[in-house]
Amino acid sequence: MPRFILTCLFILSLAACSGVEPNPTVYPFQIDNEAIEASSVKKVVIANVNLGIPSRNYLKESEGKIDGMLSGYLRENDFQVVSGHHFAQAWKIASRVNGDPYDPTTGKVNQRAFALNLQAVTKQLVDKHKIDAIIFTDIVERDIQFSNGLSHLARWDGITRKPSLRGPGDGVTADFDWSMNAKGASLWVSIYNVELQRLFTSIGGLDSTEAIDTRSSSGRYTRRRNILENETHLLEGIQLAMHPFIAMEKYPGKAN
C-alpha cells in the first residue's frame, strides 16, 4: 500500500526517532490527505512543462534527468508512471488550439491559455491512459549564503551544502566576503488530481549552481561548470520535495 496514506503526524515523528539533525529550512509542505485518499492516486504522469515560468536555460538541461530519477522513485514506492511523452504530445496539440501559455518576450505565463491546455491534456490522458494525477516539477533558483564559520555551509529547503571552487588553486582568500549571496537550485513539486485540485506541494533543495571563482582577486561567485550532476544530492532533493506524499526515511524536519 502506498506510503503516503500514513498520517502526517506519524511521518513527522520518524525524524524525532531517527537521530537525524533537524534542518530548520525544510519547506512547509501542503498536503490534502482527504483529497488524496478520495482520488486514490496510483497512476501518475510527470508534466514536461513548468507550473510556473520555464526554468533558466542552464537548469533546463537537468529537467529530463531529474524527472527520470523521480519516475524511478515513484515506481519504487508502488506508483505507476505513464510516459511523459504522452503529456508532451497532448500539450503540443493543445497549444496549437489555445496558444503557447508562455510569452518569451514578456517572461510571463498566460494563465487562461495554461488552464485551457491543462484541461484538454488531462481529459486526453484520463481517456487514453487512466491517470489519477499530474506531477509538475519546476527547478527554481534561490538566493543562498554560505556561513562565515569554519565549515562554510549553506542551508536551504532542507539541505546542507558546502561551497564549490572554480579555477586554479584549492582555497579562497582570507578576506573573502561570505555575506555575498550565491545561487542554489531547488525542486518544486506540485501534484494535481484529474479534477485539477491540488493534492500536494513542497520544495526540496538540490545543489548550488554557483562556485567561488578562485581566479578573481576581489572574490566573487561564478556559475559552476557542472550543474546538478551529483545524483546523491538530486535524490535527496527529490525525497525532500515529495515528503510526506512519499515518506522520506530520514526526513530532517522537526516533529510536531
Side-chain angles (χ1 to χ4, degrees):
M1 186 172 291
R3 298 181 193 175
F4 63 79
I5 63 173
L6 298 174
T7 65
C8 293
L9 181 61
F10 173 72
I11 292 170
L12 290 176
S13 71
L14 293 178
C17 303
S18 66
V20 177
E21 181 181 352
N23 187 324
T25 69
V26 289
Y27 189 82
F29 59 79
Q30 298 174 38
I31 186 167
D32 189 333
N33 285 306
E34 290 185 6
I36 288 173
E37 298 234 9
S39 299
S40 186
V41 178
K42 297 178 181 178
K43 183 181 285 191
V44 302
V45 66
I46 300 173
N48 73 312
V49 297
N50 281 6
L51 187 60
I53 62 173
S55 305
R56 305 291 293 271
N57 286 337
Y58 55 86
L59 297 177
K60 189 179 289 291
E61 297 173 359
S62 302
E63 290 178 341
K65 181 176 184 177
I66 290 174
D67 285 353
M69 292 180 68
L70 173 59
S71 179
Y73 186 58
L74 286 160
R75 289 191 175 98
E76 289 172 5
N77 287 276
D78 305 322
F79 291 91
Q80 299 176 58
V81 183
V82 173
S83 171
H85 169 76
H86 299 300
F87 185 99
Q89 286 296 105
W91 188 269
K92 187 176 181 180
I93 294 170
S95 293
R96 290 174 185 162
V97 176
N98 304 308
D100 188 340
Y102 178 66
D103 184 346
T105 60
T106 64
K108 296 181 179 180
V109 176
N110 183 321
Q111 295 297 336
R112 181 177 183 278
F114 188 94
L116 290 172
N117 279 6
L118 187 55
Q119 290 168 5
V121 169
T122 302
K123 184 179 187 307
Q124 182 171 331
L125 293 180
V126 169
D127 292 344
K128 291 187 176 181
H129 302 285
K130 311 302 180 186
I131 66 163
D132 302 313
I134 296 173
I135 301 179
F136 290 92
T137 54
D138 294 21
I139 303 176
V140 296
E141 209 163 36
R142 308 290 223 184
D143 285 328
I144 64 172
Q145 236 179 42
F146 292 97
S147 68
N148 197 27
L150 293 176
S151 54
H152 300 302
L153 300 176
R155 291 183 171 86
W156 75 98
D157 294 331
I159 63 170
T160 302
R161 298 286 183 260
K162 295 180 179 180
S164 298
L165 304 179
R166 181 175 177 183
D170 56 1
V172 298
T173 61
D175 59 348
F176 183 82
D177 183 5
W178 292 101
S179 66
M180 285 190 301
N181 282 341
K183 294 291 184 182
S186 294
L187 179 64
W188 172 30
V189 167
S190 299
I191 304 178
Y192 289 78
N193 65 14
V194 294
E195 283 77 38
L196 301 183
Q197 175 186 10
R198 191 177 73 183
L199 305 177
F200 172 77
T201 188
S202 191
I203 297 177
L206 295 170
D207 208 350
S208 60
T209 58
E210 291 186 327
I212 297 172
D213 185 357
T214 60
R215 299 163 298 184
S216 170
S217 58
S218 59
R220 64 174 186 178
Y221 290 105
T222 187
R223 190 175 301 161
R224 292 177 64 171
R225 189 182 303 277
N226 301 315
I227 295 177
L228 301 183
E229 289 193 347
N230 187 316
E231 293 193 358
T232 300
H233 288 172
L234 297 184
L235 180 57
E236 181 185 14
I238 289 169
Q239 292 173 337
L240 283 163
M242 291 297 292
H243 180 88
F245 188 84
I246 297 175
M248 182 177 182
E249 184 177 351
K250 295 182 179 180
Y251 180 65
K254 293 182 179 180
N256 287 341

